[in-house]
Amino acid sequence: MLSTAVDRYWEQFQPSRGLAGARAWARSDADQLNLNGMWRFRYSASDQDRTEFATPHYDDSSWAHLPVPSLWQLHGFGRPIYTNVRYPFPIDPPRVPQENPTGDYRTSFEIPASWDTDPVVLRFDGVDSCARVWLNGHEVGVTSGSRLAAEFDVSAVVHRSEPNLLAVRVHQWSSGSYLEDQDMWWLSGIFRDVTVLRRPKGGIDDFFVHAAYDSQSGRGELRVEADGAVSVRVEELGVDGPAGQTVQLDRVEPWSAEVPRLYTAVLSTPTETVTTRIGFRTVEISDGVLTVNGRRVLFRGVNRHEFDPDAGRTVSAETMLADVLLMKRHNINAVRTSHYPPHPSFLELCDEYGLYVIDECDLETHGFFADEPAPPTADGSPIIADNPAEDPRWRDELLLRMQRTVERDKNHPSVIMWSLGNESGAGQNLGVMADWSRTRDPSRPLHYERDWTCRYVDVYSRMYASHAEVDEIGRGVEEALSDPVLDARRRAMPFILCEYSHAMGNGPGGLSEYQALFEKYPRCQGGFIWEWIDHGLRTHDEHGEFYGYGGDFGEELHDGNFVADGLLFPDRTPSPGLLELKQVFAPVRIASSDAGLVIENHYEVRDLSHLRLEWSHSVEGDVVESGTLAVPAVEPGDSATLPLPDLSPVSGESWLTIAAVLAEDTAWAPDGHEVAFGQVAIHVPATTEWVPTLRAVSGDTEVRLGAGIFDASTGALLKIGDIDVGSPRLDVWRAPIDNERAFARDPIEVTWRELGLDRMRHRVERVELVGGLVIRARVAPAATRLGFDVVYRWTAHGDVLRLVVELNPDGVWPCPLPRVGLRMHAAAELSNVEWYGLGPGESYADSRRAARVGRFAVSIDELLTPYVFPQENGNRAGVRWMQVTDPQGAGLRIEGEPTVDMAVRRWSSEALDRARHPNELARDDRVWINLDKAQHGLGSASCGPGVLPQYRLLAEPTSFSLRLRAV
């Protein structure tokens, strides 16, 4: 048998070779060359073993050009693949398929003569997933660990007086792919910066800043470990001395996410100067509570993948800053870097603007647990022998990944915890990683969610625990571990939800109830929403532009739109979920009591002196007076009561709105930026009694009742004044949201469709003229005895029609209903909507903290929320009245008794249900209007818990009423 030996480095348990030692990322005055730009590129559909392309004189003139950094699938080479848990290749570690897309790269550079004979280092900040590197035809090494920095000492092979040829071969699949199953697009290439570094002799190769703060005395302690004879100068603190010594400082200002105080430190030798920012802070666990500088931390956090809809994981400096500013402006104080270390510039921004960071190792092996049971047992994730967390053959690679994470990011004050990785089960190799981390950096606690016994970690972390379970943990009555020692250890730990409230599609609901638990129980210290942004890739088809998700690129295995589960749409537009989160996370709470306004300070270290309180008094949505209230001296954790401002007497419904806004410009938002708001009802007028004044008049084919014209045989409303309408009739269906679909924890859509709620039939049983018009109907789906007996009662007063709907479910309904309300339609010429009620954004039963009572006016198109996967959207709750009009102002006015939920669309719920992308939604020949008594809640069951009991819409007898007239 013919056998050819091939160096299949990409199929080794530890493929990296030739790497220089991991060290801190730093800003140095030593010379460097940025190699970002257009490189020559050759794509192959399978792995390669011929390496002649790495020689300097190889002719690459026929090759394509590809920008570095970038991901080649987004430039027409191969295709993106999205899977959540499943590996898109056979599980046969460390082997990968021979059909292994491979990219060959070439570029050239020259180094300045001034570099002389100093050592030269080649640095890659991120390459997915495995790369072999040559310089001038000489192999310098192999790197794996896609989101980890790799440095190679190329001093022996670099040309000092002529061009250098750099060649890189990148494989999409490698043994490292088994460690990077991180619920994101599988994309390949050199996706972060490439740099050539001059390393001056006698320079600063590495350093470690230790800056502690004593919250009792206000003292600081500074020690900088560094290689070689390095001096440390912090001019603002009067520090100037050698590295290695411990400096006691009588008074420093501490760093926190709320007040991110940084000091500039200059580290120098005769040949190199490094500038770094120091934040004094101490992270401790005391009496089962995680503290920073002696204060309990409540994580108002998000999980952040690096993502751009055009560039994938290649994220620009501008995009990173946009993320941080959006987080700060929406009251987010913490980030978990799911599930790998981010670009180092992002951590600099977290230092500067103030965000707590859980920095996660580049590790996830979820595909080994594709069939794991849920929910977990108290004793933890099952051990699988060949899972890398347990298999000793992977030990060195997992340890190396942790070392590379810690060493690169160890000097960032924003990093307050290390995470061993994500969803990699349990196993002995995690203990090795934990032991090394504690030895190297005892100042930061360790996190890892799948260590449910908390054998290796310092905080008890879970994903998607229900509200009820969080309450049990807060009270200390959760299910016990079988090992009493481990059980006692775990019960003494802080508890966080490293993922909760899955923000997929319309939702999440139930945020307020989680936050109440975090504020009630000291041990429950908040958590991190999954996740920050929808990973939709900008795509086009015959219908126009849309954001593609799994399956849109011809993948044979994919997980659909599960990749679109963020608080931002792919273009970074905030979703309604993010707006809701901002108000739930608000560090200022404004409410009312019999004594006046209650202002609560939920900051951890700040008083309220940086804010001002602006108030406005509105009647039926129109502001009649406004002013500013003095900000009380409220310390963190305290509250104050203020008298209401002197308000003018009014006759209509009126509300006092109080906004806590920034009193001056900050680094992250301008003067006047709203941090939080509250509303107080001032005057609620008595409801007017309805007195019918007109009787129904029957003709041969029509019934006239006031301004309404009805069909005589069916009772259907045909016209109000001169406005043609499609008669309101019972509607119980909505286009299912992601939290209800088949993949969800509570896949209620399946039950709804089995019952036929998406195909209800309407039968008029009797039309009666009894003063007004009464229609008795049966509404039911095929193939079941279940249904609804409905009575529609129409009366009139002048040109106003009143409709009372009485609903009685027939049979035992096994599930909640999507909605209970009416649906009608009107002419397509109607284009504008004005309403008085909750707004301006959408609101639902369990997601309405961000909505305020007011008067709003938008176009019909602006009412809609463009979720990546079309679904129920655009509902406005608590509507007192609404008008849908054409450009001339003619149309319909609808009033609730006292309120309705409303949605107005240019397509039906059925069309919304059929669409798979928003660009498939074509305008109908009519406008559809939903007027609801109630809707089922949202929950977050696409991955988290379902709808809380108080927000479930049960099938039970009910009635509701509204009024209609033409305008």
Side-chain angles (χ1 to χ4, degrees):
M1 178 180 294
L2 180 64
S3 176
T4 303
V6 176
D7 179 10
R8 301 185 68 83
Y9 53 89
W10 62 90
E11 292 185 326
Q12 306 300 313
F13 284 102
Q14 189 176 20
S16 298
R17 63 193 187 208
L19 292 179
R23 64 195 185 101
W25 189 85
R27 295 194 178 274
S28 166
D29 69 347
D31 295 331
Q32 62 179 22
L33 292 175
N34 187 307
L35 299 188
N36 294 351
M38 297 301 295
W39 293 30
R40 287 288 188 175
F41 179 76
R42 177 179 65 183
Y43 174 79
S44 304
S46 60
D47 56 48
Q48 302 289 306
D49 56 12
R50 299 181 63 182
T51 61
E52 65 275 13
F53 84 98
T55 60
H57 302 296
Y58 179 85
D59 182 5
D60 61 13
S61 60
S62 64
W63 287 22
H65 287 89
L66 186 71
V68 170
S70 72
L71 296 147
W72 70 58
Q73 290 89 347
L74 303 184
H75 291 266
F77 301 98
R79 61 189 180 191
I81 298 172
Y82 167 64
T83 61
N84 171 28
V85 175
R86 300 172 294 176
Y87 292 111
F89 47 79
I91 301 177
D92 184 22
R95 290 169 286 276
V96 295
Q98 186 173 339
E99 297 81 18
N100 186 2
T102 299
D104 292 331
Y105 294 77
R106 285 169 55 97
T107 194
S108 62
F109 64 92
E110 295 184 39
I111 61 174
S114 60
W115 289 24
D116 196 25
T117 60
D118 281 337
V120 178
V121 168
L122 176 63
R123 179 183 178 92
F124 295 85
D125 280 309
V127 184
D128 193 324
S129 72
C130 179
R132 188 178 182 185
V133 183
W134 295 264
L135 186 62
N136 299 322
H138 301 277
E139 181 184 332
V140 298
V142 172
T143 177
S144 181
S146 299
R147 268 65 67 180
L148 300 167
E151 290 188 342
F152 301 97
D153 187 337
V154 296
S155 306
V157 296
V158 71
H159 293 158
R160 310 266 176 175
S161 58
E162 59 183 283
N164 291 272
L165 189 284
L166 174 60
V168 184
R169 170 163 287 165
V170 179
H171 301 281
Q172 175 160 9
W173 308 125
S174 69
S175 59
S177 302
Y178 287 100
L179 307 179
E180 297 171 9
D181 185 25
Q182 292 149 321
D183 186 13
M184 60 185 179
W185 291 102
W186 296 93
L187 297 168
S188 319
I190 304 173
F191 71 96
R192 287 185 186 160
D193 307 298
V194 183
T195 315
V196 181
L197 307 173
R198 172 177 169 255
R199 297 301 311 131
K201 296 171 185 174
I204 305 169
D205 283 335
D206 196 16
F207 65 98
F208 194 170
V209 174
H210 305 271
Y213 177 74
D214 186 331
S215 60
Q216 298 298 314
S217 66
R219 294 173 60 87
E221 181 179 281
L222 177 64
R223 178 169 55 89
V224 179
E225 301 173 10
D227 297 337
V230 177
S231 66
V232 178
R233 180 165 55 89
V234 186
E235 185 174 350
E236 195 174 354
L237 295 174
V239 174
D240 193 352
Q245 71 176 13
T246 299
V247 181
Q248 301 292 339
L249 300 161
D250 288 338
R251 179 67 59 180
V252 297
E253 297 176 54
W255 183 96
S256 69
E258 292 174 8
V259 185
R261 179 65 160 95
L262 294 172
Y263 296 87
T264 298
V266 178
L267 283 59
S268 59
T269 71
T271 60
E272 183 178 15
T273 298
V274 168
T275 303
T276 191
R277 309 290 296 280
I278 292 176
F280 288 88
R281 56 107 185 96
T282 296
V283 184
E284 294 178 311
I285 295 174
S286 177
D287 295 327
V289 174
L290 178 72
T291 64
V292 175
N293 302 328
R295 298 290 187 104
R296 173 183 182 260
V297 169
L298 178 54
F299 291 112
R300 301 173 174 90
V302 293
N303 287 275
R304 175 186 177 268
H305 269 298
E306 293 181 310
F307 183 76
D308 179 277
D310 301 301
R313 287 193 304 281
T314 299
V315 181
S316 69
E318 294 77 14
T319 298
M320 286 185 269
L321 177 58
D323 278 350
V324 169
L325 294 180
L326 278 168
M327 290 175 188
K328 293 292 290 187
R329 291 169 184 170
H330 289 86
N331 296 326
I332 289 163
N333 73 352
V335 179
R336 174 172 171 241
T337 67
S338 51
H339 300 292
Y340 43 81
H343 192 289
S345 294
F346 180 77
L347 295 179
E348 280 195 315
L349 293 170
C350 293
D351 296 340
E352 180 179 354
Y353 289 92
L355 289 167
Y356 295 124
V357 174
I358 297 181
D359 197 355
E360 197 145 84
C361 183
D362 194 3
L363 173 63
E364 180 173 335
T365 68
H366 207 171
F368 284 85
F369 296 81
D371 299 319
E372 66 178 307
T377 62
D379 280 341
S381 183
I383 291 178
I384 297 178
D386 66 344
N387 175 39
E390 172 65 15
D391 189 337
R393 296 174 296 176
W394 291 99
R395 180 173 300 154
D396 290 346
E397 175 64 14
L398 267 59
L399 177 58
L400 181 61
R401 286 177 177 242
M402 193 66 197
Q403 291 169 335
R404 291 165 73 182
T405 299
V406 171
E407 297 294 0
R408 193 199 74 168
D409 297 342
K410 58 183 178 276
N411 293 322
H412 291 285
S414 58
V415 176
I416 65 169
M417 274 194 277
W418 302 116
S419 177
L420 303 179
N422 183 66
E423 292 179 319
S424 296
Q428 58 183 327
N429 296 337
L430 297 169
V432 174
M433 298 165 69
D435 289 344
W436 179 87
S437 300
R438 283 198 180 89
T439 299
R440 179 61 174 141
D441 180 22
S443 72
R444 293 177 172 101
L446 293 182
H447 168 273
Y448 175 68
E449 185 266 340
R450 287 303 165 105
D451 181 11
W452 291 321
T453 63
C454 296
R455 184 183 303 273
Y456 305 124
V457 296
D458 302 306
V459 297
Y460 179 28
S461 177
R462 285 283 306 283
M463 293 181 180
Y464 307 109
S466 68
H467 301 79
E469 187 177 0
V470 173
D471 182 71
E472 290 176 351
I473 292 169
R475 291 185 289 118
V477 297
E478 69 269 29
E479 182 181 355
L481 297 170
S482 58
D483 184 326
V485 175
L486 284 176
D487 186 63
R489 170 179 160 79
R490 192 176 77 174
R491 290 177 189 275
M493 288 183 176
F495 173 74
I496 65 169
L497 284 167
C498 69
E499 294 179 21
Y500 79 109
S501 288
H502 198 248
M504 186 174 183
N506 192 344
L511 287 170
S512 295
E513 288 75 16
Y514 271 122
Q515 196 70 14
L517 292 169
F518 302 152
E519 294 173 5
K520 180 178 181 180
Y521 298 114
R523 180 191 181 191
C524 296
Q525 297 194 237
F528 299 79
I529 304 295
W530 187 267
E531 66 158 306
W532 178 236
I533 188 169
D534 288 340
H535 299 199
L537 293 170
R538 197 185 310 272
T539 311
H540 296 81
D541 64 9
E542 66 275 16
H543 302 294
E545 184 178 285
F546 66 97
Y547 292 108
Y549 48 76
D552 284 334
F553 303 95
E555 309 100 301
E556 63 181 14
L557 185 71
H558 66 85
D559 286 312
N561 67 309
F562 212 74
V563 77
D565 47 10
L567 294 163
L568 296 179
F569 295 124
D571 65 356
R572 283 181 162 73
T573 298
S575 75
L578 181 58
L579 301 180
E580 178 77 0
L581 188 74
K582 175 186 177 181
Q583 185 68 1
V584 171
F585 277 2
V588 182
R589 200 76 47 79
I590 303 169
S592 64
S593 70
D594 292 341
L597 292 175
V598 179
I599 313 297
E600 298 177 359
N601 183 351
H602 289 261
Y603 285 106
E604 290 155 16
V605 301
R606 301 201 76 166
D607 62 26
L608 299 186
S609 60
H610 66 294
L611 302 175
R612 68 174 180 267
L613 298 177
E614 297 181 344
W615 63 268
S616 62
H617 182 208
S618 60
V619 181
E620 301 289 337
D622 293 323
V623 175
V624 295
E625 53 194 333
S626 61
T628 301
L629 295 174
V631 178
V634 182
E635 293 297 316
D638 289 343
S639 65
T641 301
L642 304 178
L644 293 175
D646 292 329
L647 303 176
S648 304
V650 297
S651 58
E653 180 180 345
S654 71
W655 289 79
L656 177 67
T657 303
I658 306 95
V661 305
L662 293 178
E664 58 186 27
D665 292 345
T666 69
W668 49 270
D671 179 353
H673 166 78
E674 183 178 284
V675 174
F677 78 91
Q679 283 193 305
V680 179
I682 300 300
H683 181 257
V684 180
T687 57
T688 57
E689 183 180 356
W690 175 260
V691 179
T693 59
L694 300 172
R695 299 181 62 85
V697 179
S698 179
D700 292 338
T701 60
E702 297 176 345
V703 173
R704 291 183 176 270
L705 178 60
I709 300 177
F710 299 80
D711 183 279
S713 61
T714 65
L717 177 65
L718 305 175
K719 247 182 174 177
I720 303 178
D722 295 328
I723 305 298
D724 293 325
V725 299
S727 185
R729 65 180 188 176
L730 179 68
D731 186 26
V732 297
W733 179 247
R734 71 182 185 191
I737 64 174
D738 287 321
N739 293 327
E740 295 157 352
R741 294 172 57 207
F743 53 73
R745 282 191 180 185
D746 181 18
I748 197 169
E749 175 198 4
V750 176
T751 303
W752 286 347
R753 292 192 191 278
E754 287 176 350
L755 289 176
L757 298 186
D758 58 334
R759 48 183 172 80
M760 303 294 283
R761 296 294 178 259
H762 298 251
R763 185 181 75 247
V764 173
E765 297 184 330
R766 194 159 64 251
V767 178
E768 303 170 342
L769 274 65
V770 186
L773 183 66
V774 178
I775 302 102
R776 301 184 185 276
R778 171 79 173 178
V779 181
T784 177
R785 291 184 174 85
L786 296 174
F788 300 94
D789 295 320
V790 189
V791 180
Y792 305 93
R793 300 184 185 275
W794 290 96
T795 53
H797 180 109
D799 61 354
V800 180
L801 294 173
R802 183 185 192 228
L803 172 59
V804 178
V805 182
E806 298 168 359
L807 176 71
N808 281 285
D810 185 14
V812 179
W813 288 79
C815 63
L817 301 175
R819 70 180 346 129
V820 170
L822 300 168
R823 180 164 51 159
M824 62 184 296
H825 60 79
E829 289 72 29
L830 302 183
S831 56
N832 302 308
V833 182
E834 183 178 10
W835 76 98
Y836 174 50
L838 292 181
E842 67 182 29
S843 51
Y844 290 84
D846 54 352
S847 180
R848 58 197 300 170
R849 284 276 291 272
R852 64 191 75 192
V853 177
R855 185 172 176 174
F856 309 98
V858 297
S859 69
I860 290 175
D861 295 337
E862 290 175 296
L863 280 178
L864 308 176
T865 305
Y867 293 110
V868 170
F869 187 97
Q871 55 199 273
E872 162 64 33
N873 72 88
N875 187 71
R876 268 64 175 180
V879 173
R880 281 74 164 159
W881 58 259
M882 60 176 288
Q883 293 188 166
V884 188
T885 56
D886 64 19
Q888 289 71 46
L892 293 172
R893 179 180 175 95
I894 301 166
E895 300 174 1
E897 289 189 344
T899 66
V900 296
D901 284 14
M902 70 95 174
V904 185
R905 306 188 182 103
R906 294 201 175 276
W907 39 77
S908 66
S909 296
E910 289 75 17
L912 191 60
D913 189 10
R914 288 191 298 268
R916 292 298 174 262
H917 302 95
N919 66 332
E920 299 168 15
L921 290 164
R923 288 186 170 216
D924 211 336
D925 61 355
R926 64 197 73 185
V927 166
W928 294 91
I929 304 171
N930 272 93
L931 305 165
D932 291 331
K933 164 75 170 180
Q935 282 206 43
H936 188 55
L938 303 177
S940 65
S942 50
C943 192
V947 176
L948 287 166
Q950 62 267 39
Y951 303 119
R952 292 166 65 87
L953 181 58
L954 303 180
E956 56 190 11
T958 190
S959 66
F960 56 98
S961 57
L962 48 84
R963 304 177 189 184
L964 304 91
R965 66 178 173 89
V967 292

